[in-house]
Amino acid sequence: VKYYSFKNDVVLDPFAGTGTTGKAALKLGRRFALIEMDKEYMDTIREFFEPLTNLHSIDWVNVDGINNTLF
């Protein structure tokens, strides 16, 4: 993330897993989009990112297409 993007760039991780790329992007001042189909991994990602109030908006979109917007 650090070597292939600049601050405020958007980093895409189409296989997010536990959200490590998103965490690194956040730490380095990048925006990010994470895609993950596995519900257990998605729950792990939510547990980390939901408490962060400095994020303007998080859009959680389920695989079935139901949008669950937070904030």
Side-chain angles (χ1 to χ4, degrees), residues 9-32:
D9 277 356
V10 178
V11 177
L12 171 65
D13 186 353
F15 307 100
T18 59
T20 303
T21 300
K23 293 173 187 176
L26 183 64
K27 182 178 178 181
L28 295 169
R30 277 68 165 168
R31 297 175 294 152
F32 56 92

Side-chain angles (χ1 to χ4, degrees), residues 29-63:
R30 277 68 165 168
R31 297 175 294 152
F32 56 92
L34 305 176
I35 301 170
E36 180 54 56
M37 291 180 62
D38 187 295
K39 183 177 177 346
E40 289 181 29
Y41 284 138
M42 194 67 211
D43 291 341
T44 301
I45 293 169
R46 277 184 187 227
E47 285 177 20
F48 179 83
F49 286 106
E50 279 184 336
L52 302 178
T53 58
N54 64 335
L55 297 177
H56 298 293
S57 138
I58 298 175
D59 289 332
W60 302 102
V61 180
N62 296 335
V63 176

